[in-house]
Amino acid sequence: MLKKIEAIIREDKLGEVKDALNEIGIKGMNVLEIRGHGRQGGITLAGRSGTYQVDMLPKIQINIILSEHNLDETIATIVKAGRTGDAGDGLIFVYPVEEAVRIRTGERGHDAVMYPGDIDERKHKGAA
Ligand SMILES: Nc1ncnc2c1ncn2[C@@H]1O[C@H](COP(=O)(O)OP(=O)(O)OP(=O)(O)O)[C@@H](O)[C@H]1O
Ligand SMILES: [Mg+2]
């Protein structure tokens, strides 16, 4: 079963989260610059002419398609690397994925998102 992780994190946590994911063998991903707000509805900033409300804050969205059996480890890694403990650390959403197709080879499903040295190859090496 393929899943999609959509992780919304702080902009300044992208480097740490990327490094941590790379360390556990998560290779394929895409990253978007987004804007949004959670339950605080933005933040109040103090400017020269008084305070003003910024309702849509810049965030980073990381999308990863992966096998279900790697979900827990990957989520734990993002939480550990992305957390400051303050409001605005972000959210992680998980979706089911219908299908994946690697255009060059026609590979489908799990095979389409396998990479040399990835999280699954590492596990097999570790077990051998
Ligand atoms: N219900 C939602 N649906 C889609 N995206 C959301 C939703 N809530 C928040 N987001 C996105 O997640 C980002 C991070 O939200 P944020 O970390 O402030 O969550 P929160 O629920 O308010 O938790 P906290 O109390 O830790 O701030 C938002 O900027 C927005 O991009
Ligand atoms: Mg919030």
Side-chain angles (χ1 to χ4, degrees):
M1 249 314 237
L2 287 179
K3 297 278 186 181
K4 174 183 174 182
I5 290 178
E6 182 183 298
I8 311 216
I9 61 164
R10 293 181 187 280
E11 283 185 305
D12 57 6
K13 280 288 187 181
L14 176 60
E16 277 172 70
V17 170
K18 233 170 32 182
D19 289 350
L21 288 171
N22 191 43
E23 240 161 67
I24 63 163
I26 294 293
K27 301 280 185 185
M29 69 181 69
N30 64 57
V31 171
L32 293 80
E33 292 177 12
I34 59 157
R35 280 173 184 281
H37 68 71
R39 60 182 159 193
Q40 288 82 15
I43 54 166
T44 305
L45 291 177
R48 228 177 279 173
S49 52
T51 62
Y52 61 101
Q53 185 71 12
V54 179
D55 69 337
M56 290 293 178
L57 294 168
K59 294 280 174 186
I60 295 291
Q61 180 181 321
I62 304 177
N63 297 326
I64 304 166
I65 311 300
L66 75 179
S67 294
E68 189 168 14
H69 61 256
N70 293 322
L71 202 51
D72 289 347
E73 184 181 359
T74 305
I75 290 172
T77 298
I78 295 170
V79 168
K80 189 164 173 234
R83 190 170 183 279
T84 69
D86 294 330
D89 275 350
L91 287 161
I92 298 174
F93 304 115
V94 178
Y95 308 84
V97 171
E98 277 302 316
E99 184 61 294
V101 180
R102 180 173 277 132
I103 291 175
R104 177 174 60 85
T105 57
E107 291 163 292
R108 284 175 174 261
H110 178 236
D111 290 344
V113 288
M114 287 268 287
Y115 307 89
D118 75 2
I119 188 165
D120 286 321
E121 222 177 65
R122 280 177 200 210
K123 276 183 193 153
H124 286 120
K125 269 187 199 146

PDB file of all heavy atoms in Angstrom, residues 6 8 34-40 57 59 86-91 93, ligand 1:
ATOM      1  N   GLU A   6       1.895  14.461   3.670  1.00  0.00           N
ATOM      2  CA  GLU A   6       1.943  15.893   3.379  1.00  0.00           C
ATOM      3  C   GLU A   6       2.287  16.555   4.706  1.00  0.00           C
ATOM      4  O   GLU A   6       1.470  16.619   5.610  1.00  0.00           O
ATOM      5  CB  GLU A   6       0.571  16.332   2.870  1.00  0.00           C
ATOM      6  CG  GLU A   6       0.478  17.780   2.487  1.00  0.00           C
ATOM      7  CD  GLU A   6      -0.951  18.117   2.056  1.00  0.00           C
ATOM      8  OE1 GLU A   6      -1.438  17.548   1.067  1.00  0.00           O
ATOM      9  OE2 GLU A   6      -1.576  18.930   2.746  1.00  0.00           O
ATOM     10  N   ILE A   8       3.491  19.834   6.753  1.00  0.00           N
ATOM     11  CA  ILE A   8       3.591  21.296   6.725  1.00  0.00           C
ATOM     12  C   ILE A   8       4.476  21.693   7.887  1.00  0.00           C
ATOM     13  O   ILE A   8       4.153  21.397   9.047  1.00  0.00           O
ATOM     14  CB  ILE A   8       2.194  21.910   6.852  1.00  0.00           C
ATOM     15  CG1 ILE A   8       1.304  21.204   5.855  1.00  0.00           C
ATOM     16  CG2 ILE A   8       2.262  23.435   6.720  1.00  0.00           C
ATOM     17  CD1 ILE A   8       0.270  21.886   5.153  1.00  0.00           C
ATOM     18  N   ILE A  34       4.323  27.325   0.650  1.00  0.00           N
ATOM     19  CA  ILE A  34       2.888  27.575   0.757  1.00  0.00           C
ATOM     20  C   ILE A  34       2.629  28.687   1.774  1.00  0.00           C
ATOM     21  O   ILE A  34       3.551  29.175   2.430  1.00  0.00           O
ATOM     22  CB  ILE A  34       2.115  26.309   1.176  1.00  0.00           C
ATOM     23  CG1 ILE A  34       2.620  25.802   2.538  1.00  0.00           C
ATOM     24  CG2 ILE A  34       2.240  25.223   0.129  1.00  0.00           C
ATOM     25  CD1 ILE A  34       1.616  24.967   3.273  1.00  0.00           C
ATOM     26  N   ARG A  35       1.385  29.051   1.896  1.00  0.00           N
ATOM     27  CA  ARG A  35       0.971  29.977   2.939  1.00  0.00           C
ATOM     28  C   ARG A  35      -0.258  29.418   3.617  1.00  0.00           C
ATOM     29  O   ARG A  35      -1.095  28.814   2.969  1.00  0.00           O
ATOM     30  CB  ARG A  35       0.595  31.332   2.344  1.00  0.00           C
ATOM     31  CG  ARG A  35       1.774  32.163   2.047  1.00  0.00           C
ATOM     32  CD  ARG A  35       1.443  33.421   1.312  1.00  0.00           C
ATOM     33  NE  ARG A  35       2.692  34.054   1.010  1.00  0.00           N
ATOM     34  CZ  ARG A  35       3.394  34.752   1.890  1.00  0.00           C
ATOM     35  NH1 ARG A  35       2.919  34.972   3.100  1.00  0.00           N
ATOM     36  NH2 ARG A  35       4.550  35.261   1.563  1.00  0.00           N
ATOM     37  N   GLY A  36      -0.356  29.632   4.909  1.00  0.00           N
ATOM     38  CA  GLY A  36      -1.551  29.140   5.586  1.00  0.00           C
ATOM     39  C   GLY A  36      -1.592  29.569   7.029  1.00  0.00           C
ATOM     40  O   GLY A  36      -0.700  30.279   7.498  1.00  0.00           O
ATOM     41  N   HIS A  37      -2.633  29.149   7.696  1.00  0.00           N
ATOM     42  CA  HIS A  37      -2.657  29.319   9.147  1.00  0.00           C
ATOM     43  C   HIS A  37      -3.419  28.192   9.799  1.00  0.00           C
ATOM     44  O   HIS A  37      -4.238  27.521   9.166  1.00  0.00           O
ATOM     45  CB  HIS A  37      -3.206  30.686   9.552  1.00  0.00           C
ATOM     46  CG  HIS A  37      -4.654  30.901   9.274  1.00  0.00           C
ATOM     47  ND1 HIS A  37      -5.653  30.272   9.985  1.00  0.00           N
ATOM     48  CD2 HIS A  37      -5.277  31.653   8.347  1.00  0.00           C
ATOM     49  CE1 HIS A  37      -6.817  30.669   9.514  1.00  0.00           C
ATOM     50  NE2 HIS A  37      -6.622  31.494   8.506  1.00  0.00           N
ATOM     51  N   GLY A  38      -3.102  27.970  11.053  1.00  0.00           N
ATOM     52  CA  GLY A  38      -3.753  26.937  11.845  1.00  0.00           C
ATOM     53  C   GLY A  38      -4.731  27.567  12.805  1.00  0.00           C
ATOM     54  O   GLY A  38      -5.408  28.541  12.472  1.00  0.00           O
ATOM     55  N   ARG A  39      -4.781  27.035  14.012  1.00  0.00           N
ATOM     56  CA  ARG A  39      -5.843  27.465  14.923  1.00  0.00           C
ATOM     57  C   ARG A  39      -5.628  28.850  15.515  1.00  0.00           C
ATOM     58  O   ARG A  39      -6.558  29.452  16.010  1.00  0.00           O
ATOM     59  CB  ARG A  39      -6.050  26.430  16.025  1.00  0.00           C
ATOM     60  CG  ARG A  39      -4.834  26.173  16.877  1.00  0.00           C
ATOM     61  CD  ARG A  39      -5.155  25.094  17.884  1.00  0.00           C
ATOM     62  NE  ARG A  39      -3.920  24.490  18.376  1.00  0.00           N
ATOM     63  CZ  ARG A  39      -3.876  23.367  19.062  1.00  0.00           C
ATOM     64  NH1 ARG A  39      -4.974  22.725  19.317  1.00  0.00           N
ATOM     65  NH2 ARG A  39      -2.738  22.892  19.492  1.00  0.00           N
ATOM     66  N   GLN A  40      -4.396  29.374  15.466  1.00  0.00           N
ATOM     67  CA  GLN A  40      -4.197  30.738  15.967  1.00  0.00           C
ATOM     68  C   GLN A  40      -4.664  31.778  14.955  1.00  0.00           C
ATOM     69  O   GLN A  40      -4.764  32.958  15.285  1.00  0.00           O
ATOM     70  CB  GLN A  40      -2.715  31.003  16.305  1.00  0.00           C
ATOM     71  CG  GLN A  40      -2.208  30.284  17.548  1.00  0.00           C
ATOM     72  CD  GLN A  40      -1.828  28.841  17.262  1.00  0.00           C
ATOM     73  OE1 GLN A  40      -1.684  28.445  16.119  1.00  0.00           O
ATOM     74  NE2 GLN A  40      -1.700  28.034  18.306  1.00  0.00           N
ATOM     75  N   LEU A  57       0.718  32.776   6.941  1.00  0.00           N
ATOM     76  CA  LEU A  57       2.158  32.726   7.181  1.00  0.00           C
ATOM     77  C   LEU A  57       2.837  31.764   6.207  1.00  0.00           C
ATOM     78  O   LEU A  57       2.273  30.725   5.879  1.00  0.00           O
ATOM     79  CB  LEU A  57       2.426  32.246   8.608  1.00  0.00           C
ATOM     80  CG  LEU A  57       1.955  33.198   9.696  1.00  0.00           C
ATOM     81  CD1 LEU A  57       1.996  32.513  11.054  1.00  0.00           C
ATOM     82  CD2 LEU A  57       2.826  34.446   9.711  1.00  0.00           C
ATOM     83  N   LYS A  59       4.913  28.809   4.934  1.00  0.00           N
ATOM     84  CA  LYS A  59       5.270  27.484   5.472  1.00  0.00           C
ATOM     85  C   LYS A  59       5.850  26.662   4.336  1.00  0.00           C
ATOM     86  O   LYS A  59       5.724  27.031   3.163  1.00  0.00           O
ATOM     87  CB  LYS A  59       4.022  26.761   6.001  1.00  0.00           C
ATOM     88  CG  LYS A  59       3.373  27.415   7.207  1.00  0.00           C
ATOM     89  CD  LYS A  59       4.090  27.068   8.490  1.00  0.00           C
ATOM     90  CE  LYS A  59       3.499  27.847   9.651  1.00  0.00           C
ATOM     91  NZ  LYS A  59       4.248  27.658  10.884  1.00  0.00           N
ATOM     92  N   ASP A  86       6.893  25.273  20.107  1.00  0.00           N
ATOM     93  CA  ASP A  86       6.033  26.468  20.070  1.00  0.00           C
ATOM     94  C   ASP A  86       4.902  26.289  19.060  1.00  0.00           C
ATOM     95  O   ASP A  86       5.004  25.467  18.142  1.00  0.00           O
ATOM     96  CB  ASP A  86       6.859  27.700  19.676  1.00  0.00           C
ATOM     97  CG  ASP A  86       7.894  28.046  20.734  1.00  0.00           C
ATOM     98  OD1 ASP A  86       7.633  27.771  21.925  1.00  0.00           O
ATOM     99  OD2 ASP A  86       8.950  28.573  20.366  1.00  0.00           O
ATOM    100  N   ALA A  87       3.844  27.078  19.219  1.00  0.00           N
ATOM    101  CA  ALA A  87       2.743  27.067  18.264  1.00  0.00           C
ATOM    102  C   ALA A  87       3.286  27.380  16.873  1.00  0.00           C
ATOM    103  O   ALA A  87       4.182  28.214  16.727  1.00  0.00           O
ATOM    104  CB  ALA A  87       1.679  28.080  18.653  1.00  0.00           C
ATOM    105  N   GLY A  88       2.749  26.679  15.868  1.00  0.00           N
ATOM    106  CA  GLY A  88       3.178  26.916  14.495  1.00  0.00           C
ATOM    107  C   GLY A  88       4.184  25.897  13.978  1.00  0.00           C
ATOM    108  O   GLY A  88       4.729  26.067  12.889  1.00  0.00           O
ATOM    109  N   ASP A  89       4.423  24.837  14.743  1.00  0.00           N
ATOM    110  CA  ASP A  89       5.366  23.801  14.297  1.00  0.00           C
ATOM    111  C   ASP A  89       4.853  23.042  13.084  1.00  0.00           C
ATOM    112  O   ASP A  89       5.643  22.442  12.369  1.00  0.00           O
ATOM    113  CB  ASP A  89       5.644  22.803  15.421  1.00  0.00           C
ATOM    114  CG  ASP A  89       6.737  23.280  16.359  1.00  0.00           C
ATOM    115  OD1 ASP A  89       7.398  24.280  16.042  1.00  0.00           O
ATOM    116  OD2 ASP A  89       6.930  22.640  17.417  1.00  0.00           O
ATOM    117  N   GLY A  90       3.529  23.079  12.868  1.00  0.00           N
ATOM    118  CA  GLY A  90       3.004  22.471  11.649  1.00  0.00           C
ATOM    119  C   GLY A  90       2.159  21.239  11.898  1.00  0.00           C
ATOM    120  O   GLY A  90       1.817  20.906  13.032  1.00  0.00           O
ATOM    121  N   LEU A  91       1.810  20.581  10.812  1.00  0.00           N
ATOM    122  CA  LEU A  91       0.899  19.436  10.832  1.00  0.00           C
ATOM    123  C   LEU A  91       1.360  18.430   9.792  1.00  0.00           C
ATOM    124  O   LEU A  91       1.987  18.792   8.804  1.00  0.00           O
ATOM    125  CB  LEU A  91      -0.518  19.900  10.472  1.00  0.00           C
ATOM    126  CG  LEU A  91      -1.274  20.706  11.539  1.00  0.00           C
ATOM    127  CD1 LEU A  91      -2.417  21.466  10.887  1.00  0.00           C
ATOM    128  CD2 LEU A  91      -1.814  19.782  12.617  1.00  0.00           C
ATOM    129  N   PHE A  93      -0.298  15.385   7.395  1.00  0.00           N
ATOM    130  CA  PHE A  93      -1.486  14.688   6.903  1.00  0.00           C
ATOM    131  C   PHE A  93      -1.036  13.453   6.121  1.00  0.00           C
ATOM    132  O   PHE A  93      -0.015  13.487   5.446  1.00  0.00           O
ATOM    133  CB  PHE A  93      -2.319  15.599   5.988  1.00  0.00           C
ATOM    134  CG  PHE A  93      -2.734  16.893   6.643  1.00  0.00           C
ATOM    135  CD1 PHE A  93      -2.260  18.111   6.186  1.00  0.00           C
ATOM    136  CD2 PHE A  93      -3.595  16.886   7.734  1.00  0.00           C
ATOM    137  CE1 PHE A  93      -2.642  19.312   6.794  1.00  0.00           C
ATOM    138  CE2 PHE A  93      -3.977  18.079   8.351  1.00  0.00           C
ATOM    139  CZ  PHE A  93      -3.504  19.293   7.874  1.00  0.00           C
TER     140      PHE A  93
HETATM  141  N1  LIG B   1      -7.074  22.169   8.806  1.00  0.00           N
HETATM  142  C1  LIG B   1      -6.057  22.443   8.013  1.00  0.00           C
HETATM  143  N2  LIG B   1      -6.063  22.036   6.741  1.00  0.00           N
HETATM  144  C2  LIG B   1      -5.027  22.271   5.925  1.00  0.00           C
HETATM  145  N3  LIG B   1      -3.906  22.900   6.300  1.00  0.00           N
HETATM  146  C3  LIG B   1      -3.843  23.323   7.559  1.00  0.00           C
HETATM  147  C4  LIG B   1      -4.904  23.138   8.481  1.00  0.00           C
HETATM  148  N4  LIG B   1      -4.541  23.667   9.656  1.00  0.00           N
HETATM  149  C5  LIG B   1      -3.312  24.155   9.485  1.00  0.00           C
HETATM  150  N5  LIG B   1      -2.885  23.975   8.229  1.00  0.00           N
HETATM  151  C6  LIG B   1      -1.595  24.316   7.672  1.00  0.00           C
HETATM  152  O1  LIG B   1      -0.612  23.951   8.637  1.00  0.00           O
HETATM  153  C7  LIG B   1       0.216  25.058   8.924  1.00  0.00           C
HETATM  154  C8  LIG B   1       0.738  24.961  10.325  1.00  0.00           C
HETATM  155  O2  LIG B   1      -0.276  25.138  11.248  1.00  0.00           O
HETATM  156  P1  LIG B   1       0.047  25.244  12.793  1.00  0.00           P
HETATM  157  O3  LIG B   1       1.358  24.626  13.074  1.00  0.00           O
HETATM  158  O4  LIG B   1      -0.156  26.642  13.250  1.00  0.00           O
HETATM  159  O5  LIG B   1      -1.094  24.274  13.347  1.00  0.00           O
HETATM  160  P2  LIG B   1      -1.991  24.419  14.640  1.00  0.00           P
HETATM  161  O6  LIG B   1      -3.068  23.387  14.507  1.00  0.00           O
HETATM  162  O7  LIG B   1      -2.402  25.844  14.820  1.00  0.00           O
HETATM  163  O8  LIG B   1      -1.014  23.932  15.801  1.00  0.00           O
HETATM  164  P3  LIG B   1      -0.210  24.867  16.854  1.00  0.00           P
HETATM  165  O9  LIG B   1      -1.153  25.099  17.976  1.00  0.00           O
HETATM  166  O10 LIG B   1       0.987  24.034  17.226  1.00  0.00           O
HETATM  167  O11 LIG B   1       0.170  26.119  16.136  1.00  0.00           O
HETATM  168  C9  LIG B   1      -0.669  26.247   8.635  1.00  0.00           C
HETATM  169  O12 LIG B   1       0.113  27.379   8.359  1.00  0.00           O
HETATM  170  C10 LIG B   1      -1.422  25.799   7.408  1.00  0.00           C
HETATM  171  O13 LIG B   1      -0.590  25.946   6.278  1.00  0.00           O
END
